[in-house]
Amino acid sequence: AQKVTQAQTEISVVEKEDVTLDCVYETRDTTYYLFWYKQPPSGELVFLIRRNSFDEQNEISGRYSWNFQKSTSSFNFTITASQVVDSAVYFCALSEAAYGGATNKLIFGTGTLLAVQP
Amino acid sequence: SAVISQKPSRDICQRGTSLTIQCQVDSQVTMMFWYRQQPGQSLTLIATANQGSEATYESGFVIDKFPISRPNLTFSTLTVSNMSPEDSSIYLCSVRQGHSNQPQHFGDGTRLSIL
């Protein structure tokens, strides 16, 4: 069965610190997709990144970077030089490939609340 | 990505009443979904809204409680029926264009409180 685990429920850091949010997933499928979303206090869910299971390249986008390791079933998210505006709940999510016309759902982790203090 | 408008943004309702939430997209999309986010919790998929046919509900959710319509490729509604305080949640519409490798994009959500 699909499952996404975000063991860190809350993290508090001081501005300019680096912080890593952990995500561990379970799936029996060989083709799957991983996502990170940000939910700021205003409530909207913002898509950050998608990673395919066959692409283990890490990715960097500004202060954000993602480390995908199939060997450990992890897809961790690092924010470098954190800022107060990074304060939000961050969700990791998993989707399996849909075959035979089946629609597949997005399985969310429980989220990590990141609080960046000035 | 598509612009998703969800209405109402919030509401306070009486126990036993029903509320219909609308989700309008500015372009045709392949898939539309409805999620529930209970206070302090993660997102749970309620159902996939199928254009022109009955929605596909997840385990624990039934059509009588959460009837869904999707008359075309840009619009869907979710009704929360016979509401109780346990239905107090954020309800979110999401859309996806194409295959499951594409991200879902979410509306701003409807914050629902039941008295």
Side-chain angles (χ1 to χ4, degrees):
Chain A
Q2 300 169 298
K3 186 178 179 182
V4 176
T5 301
Q6 294 180 257
Q8 305 151 309
T9 54
E10 291 187 39
I11 301 176
S12 182
V13 300
V14 177
E15 210 168 17
K16 297 185 183 177
E17 284 186 27
D18 298 346
V19 58
T20 295
L21 309 181
D22 297 333
C23 173
V24 174
Y25 62 92
E26 295 176 31
T27 177
R28 291 174 294 189
D29 211 341
T30 55
T31 301
Y32 52 90
Y33 313 101
L34 296 163
F35 304 85
W36 275 95
Y37 286 85
K38 174 182 180 180
Q39 188 175 40
S42 50
E44 76 274 21
L45 216 64
V46 179
F47 164 68
L48 296 177
I49 191 172
R50 175 197 70 197
R51 177 60 71 216
N52 302 328
S53 57
F54 45 84
D55 180 6
E56 284 196 73
Q57 278 191 331
N58 292 328
E59 182 155 337
I60 298 175
S61 176
R63 296 184 297 107
Y64 295 171
S65 62
W66 290 269
N67 183 0
F68 176 35
Q69 292 195 336
K70 287 180 75 171
S71 60
T72 56
S73 297
S74 65
F75 185 41
N76 297 336
F77 173 28
T78 297
I79 301 174
T80 303
S82 60
Q83 300 175 2
V84 173
V85 293
D86 296 326
S87 297
V89 179
Y90 290 86
F91 291 98
C92 181
L94 165 71
S95 172
E96 293 177 344
Y99 298 112
T103 61
N104 59 291
K105 58 186 175 183
L106 204 53
I107 303 297
F108 284 87
T110 50
T112 297
L113 173 61
L114 174 64
V116 181
Q117 309 296 333
Chain B
S1 61
V3 175
I4 306 162
S5 301
Q6 200 172 323
K7 286 193 284 190
S9 58
R10 60 178 65 233
D11 208 339
I12 300 173
C13 299
Q14 296 295 320
R15 185 193 303 252
T17 62
S18 299
L19 178 74
T20 295
I21 302 168
Q22 298 182 358
C23 181
Q24 178 75 56
V25 192
D26 69 343
S27 59
Q28 294 185 344
V29 291
T30 309
M31 306 296 297
M32 294 183 79
F33 305 90
W34 287 98
Y35 287 83
R36 181 175 73 183
Q37 186 177 24
Q38 294 177 302
Q41 303 295 315
S42 186
L43 285 80
T44 301
L45 180 65
I46 297 172
T48 302
N50 300 310
Q51 192 261 328
S53 64
E54 192 171 289
T56 303
Y57 288 85
E58 296 299 308
S59 176
F61 297 96
V62 295
I63 188 171
D64 290 346
K65 176 67 176 177
F66 298 102
I68 289 170
S69 78
R70 190 180 173 191
N72 55 53
L73 294 176
T74 65
F75 184 77
S76 179
T77 66
L78 166 73
T79 299
V80 186
S81 304
N82 188 24
M83 289 184 285
S84 65
E86 293 72 37
D87 294 319
S88 297
S89 293
I90 300 174
Y91 292 86
L92 296 114
C93 166
S94 78
V95 304
R96 189 186 80 208
Q97 191 62 282
H99 191 264
S100 58
N101 64 350
Q102 298 302 308
Q104 291 184 24
H105 296 281
F106 288 80
D108 287 348
T110 297
R111 294 176 184 269
L112 184 56
S113 298
I114 314 304
L115 302 179

